[in-house]
Amino acid sequence: MPGKRGWGWWWARLLLCLLLSLSGPWVPSSLGKPKGHPQMNSIRIDGDITLGGLFPVHGRGSEGKACGELKKEKGIHRLEAMLFALDRINNDPDLLPNITLGARILDTCSRDTHALEQSLTFVQALIEKDGTEVRCGSGGPPIITKPERVVGVIGASGSSVSIMVANILRLFKIPQISYASTAPDLSDNSRYDFFSRVVPSDTYQAQAMVDIVRALKWNYVSTLASEGSYGESGVEAFVQKSREDGGVCIAQSVKIPREPKPGEFDKIIRRLLETSNARAVIIFANEDDIRRVLEAARKANQTGHFFWMGSDSWGSKIAPVLHLEEVAEGAVTILPKRMSVRGFDRYFSSRTLDNNRRNIWFAEFWEDNFHCKLSRHALKKGSHVKKCTSRERIGQDSAYEQEGKVQFVIDAVYAMGHALHAMHRDLCPGRVGLCPRMDPVDGTQLLKYIRSVNFSGIAGNPVTFNENGDAPGRYDIYQYQLRNGSAEYKVIGSWTDHLHLRLLGICVWFVVDPSHSVVDFQDQRTLDPRFARGVLKCDISDLSLICLLGYSMLLMVTCTVYAIKTRGVPETFNEAKPIGFTMYTTCIVWLAFIPIFFGTSQSADKLYIQTTTLTVSVSLSASVSLGMLYMPKVYIILFHPEQNVPKRKRSLKAVVTAATMSNKFTQKGSFRPNGEAKSELCENLEAPVYLASSTTTPPLMDTPDDSVGHTLHQMTSGSLQSCSSSQSTSFPVPTAWGSLQMPGRHPWLHLADVPSFLSCQDPDGVKAVLWPRAPALSPV
């Protein structure tokens, strides 16, 4: 019976068992390699707690092959960064003392399907296998080496790979921390609840790239994305941000297929050239696709035509632009803010074939890095390839530059280490080594500790996670420059999520000058010490208190100024008056608070006066806002819902157009349910206008003042001569109607106390039909 876990759990186990049975049989230990030694497709390091690792050691294969060429930077550098971090943690007496971290590191080959197949290794230990009925040829039971239990996974690199792996790891509640996956989809905590990352989401990156595009004054761009979660989600976020901010038009969005056919990249370049004015190309693509795009651009003789802007998958990598420097010249790229880890440089430069046998791919790296062959049988005649001497040194006999994500790999491993340390401290207090409550480690509990970590990373940057497992957004902006025949990435700027600046400033203040609680006996001194009473206070100074309230006061003053500036704007589309009254009252309250609070600092009763003043001021300020801003709205919603409807807006453009096109201004024969009729022209403009046509262009215009409650209209020439009402009664225009003058403008007509519409005429023979805006009257 499925029990508490449900049928879904058992179906998942059955499916994984089938996959594992297809991926390979269980090998007796006598036939396999000894524990602690590398296997054919993974690195295995023994430890009390085992962490999984996923790295793109090789690129995607072609012609049906799963894996392609070796990735020296993106693969080997990052893999060695994890080994470097494990060594540091295991040698740190203060972090996980007497607990050794082991590892099981796999090669994803930059392909999500291959990574899924490889990551099944991480869940083998969680699937029970019954070997009682298995017998060897001699009739005896086999010796089955049960795989180690992986408690957490570091990786993967590509977002599509991380998404594929995250879907299976969450079934077995194995937390995952990525060092490079930035797709916004991974922020969905309902789908990827066991996924975290030490790099910011592409949501921040898209906003940063839009800001850079606007700063460079590029207003017409194309986008290019690799098929998959990273590329498609990144471009989608960029397009959305560009629409929100405005000023950037997208000429076309081109997608690179997951498995591109021969000639596919030449076709992409031709398509980008279709919009020749959109020379700027925004790229969210993987490293291999970027290189192929640059190669296709050079092949099409378009060197210097395109202005490239690359996401963090390009960053400051050498591999995408190697031997393509002229095509990539001037490219602007972005990369999460990082620093070079000097300790890793010393570590990696000291790696040799003798001291790094745990890395099963290091020999392949050695041959590729030094352009030599380790085996004499691999040498071909006339190939000009030398034999490796094993005396080569990284950084001396070959070029070396630390890969950009090394820092984040180390931070990811340390995040897992700090989470395990905090978990051990709470579950195994005073115990040396693992205790029964952490054997095995519960993945759900470990995830809570991961989301709560807060420490200084290897480069000094704080490592934290939000509720979705994302890191804060901080980026460096690079440009690929050619100078004197040499090419390099030059930092030309930085971008930070400014929403966190205020919080950061407060945190810095509390770190630099933290406040403390003190017991003050000064105000409660008595002659008899037994009756003395102390007051628990904060030791903050008056100046610090003013600085603390300064930001709120700045907002309050700014809001008051703008309330005064907008007090004359029509009430049909703003709430300047209630906001203004609220801010005037708030300013008066706090202006009274300052002299009372700080003026009584020398008073004997200052404790009572200042406490009362602060309490009254805060309460009164909040009550004013509630009473003047929110309570009227609550009153309307609860007791007069019929008034909770949007007000009709009058369009000045519609009024002028209606008067101009008098011959096209026709009345509809039907009335609206509310008793109003509309002209066809006003209906098209979606602006109801209580104004009939005339014989001039334009005789009538709306005035920006409607405080009396009636409409004011302006005649273009002279004053009105005579008007007749709807009862065809002609009468002279009252003097008051033509007496409302404004400096430099024509006379104004005030339609007050008019029972119905009027037909008026000025001395030049201009005729117009006018009526008041009273809802009880119907226009003609």
Side-chain angles (χ1 to χ4, degrees), residues 336-404:
K337 186 175 288 292
R338 65 179 180 87
M339 293 181 64
S340 181
V341 182
R342 295 184 178 180
F344 177 79
D345 288 340
R346 293 191 295 268
Y347 162 83
F348 193 74
S349 300
S350 65
R351 297 296 89 189
T352 64
L353 293 172
D354 294 329
N355 62 19
N356 198 22
R357 296 183 180 274
R358 61 183 179 180
N359 186 347
I360 63 172
W361 297 288
F362 196 71
E364 184 180 358
F365 164 80
W366 196 269
E367 292 181 333
D368 189 277
N369 190 57
F370 295 108
H371 306 289
C372 61
K373 291 295 181 180
L374 290 171
S375 174
R376 183 181 300 274
H377 300 287
L379 298 176
K380 297 181 180 180
K381 295 182 178 180
S383 62
H384 304 289
V385 177
K386 62 181 180 180
K387 185 178 184 300
C388 299
T389 64
S390 299
R391 291 191 296 270
E392 297 88 358
R393 291 296 175 265
I394 300 173
Q396 298 179 5
D397 302 312
S398 66
Y400 166 75
E401 184 177 358
Q402 188 178 127
E403 200 273 335

Side-chain angles (χ1 to χ4, degrees), residues 166-419:
N167 285 321
I168 188 173
L169 293 182
R170 71 186 297 267
L171 292 176
F172 296 90
K173 296 179 172 48
I174 300 178
Q176 175 184 1
I177 303 179
S178 174
Y179 48 82
S181 299
T182 58
D185 295 349
L186 289 165
S187 298
D188 188 350
N189 208 30
S190 62
R191 297 176 57 194
Y192 309 106
D193 46 344
F194 280 78
F195 177 85
S196 305
R197 49 186 165 191
V198 292
V199 289
S201 167
D202 279 341
T203 303
Y204 296 118
Q205 183 172 211
Q207 183 63 64
M209 295 179 75
V210 169
D211 292 342
I212 296 170
V213 167
R214 297 179 64 187
L216 295 173
K217 301 187 183 303
W218 294 351
N219 53 18
Y220 196 47
V221 303
S222 297
T223 63
L224 184 60
S226 292
E227 183 179 5
S229 299
Y230 173 79
E232 296 179 47
S233 300
V235 165
E236 182 180 353
F238 177 85
V239 172
Q240 180 65 27
K241 293 294 183 181
S242 63
R243 289 174 179 172
E244 294 175 358
D245 295 352
V248 180
C249 294
I250 308 299
Q252 58 177 327
S253 295
V254 183
K255 186 186 300 183
I256 303 173
R258 192 184 302 269
E259 301 290 342
K261 300 178 181 178
E264 187 70 39
F265 290 92
D266 298 332
K267 180 180 177 181
I268 290 173
I269 293 298
R270 289 195 299 269
R271 184 174 174 184
L272 291 175
L273 290 173
E274 291 176 0
T275 52
S276 57
N277 292 332
R279 298 176 61 188
V281 181
I282 312 301
I283 301 181
F284 280 84
N286 58 59
E287 182 178 334
D288 296 334
D289 288 344
I290 293 172
R291 180 170 183 82
R292 295 177 186 178
V293 168
L294 297 178
E295 289 175 344
R298 182 177 64 180
K299 181 180 178 181
N301 294 323
Q302 297 300 324
T303 300
H305 175 78
F306 294 107
F307 299 117
W308 310 104
M309 172 173 284
S311 59
D312 61 343
S313 60
W314 186 335
S316 60
K317 297 186 180 71
I318 298 176
V321 298
L322 187 63
H323 306 309
L324 297 168
E325 290 81 4
E326 294 182 355
V327 185
E329 182 182 7
V332 177
T333 61
I334 190 172
L335 194 66
K337 186 175 288 292
R338 65 179 180 87
M339 293 181 64
S340 181
V341 182
R342 295 184 178 180
F344 177 79
D345 288 340
R346 293 191 295 268
Y347 162 83
F348 193 74
S349 300
S350 65
R351 297 296 89 189
T352 64
L353 293 172
D354 294 329
N355 62 19
N356 198 22
R357 296 183 180 274
R358 61 183 179 180
N359 186 347
I360 63 172
W361 297 288
F362 196 71
E364 184 180 358
F365 164 80
W366 196 269
E367 292 181 333
D368 189 277
N369 190 57
F370 295 108
H371 306 289
C372 61
K373 291 295 181 180
L374 290 171
S375 174
R376 183 181 300 274
H377 300 287
L379 298 176
K380 297 181 180 180
K381 295 182 178 180
S383 62
H384 304 289
V385 177
K386 62 181 180 180
K387 185 178 184 300
C388 299
T389 64
S390 299
R391 291 191 296 270
E392 297 88 358
R393 291 296 175 265
I394 300 173
Q396 298 179 5
D397 302 312
S398 66
Y400 166 75
E401 184 177 358
Q402 188 178 127
E403 200 273 335
K405 294 292 195 304
V406 163
Q407 170 195 331
F408 299 108
V409 175
I410 299 173
D411 287 343
V413 178
Y414 264 87
M416 196 73 74
H418 279 281

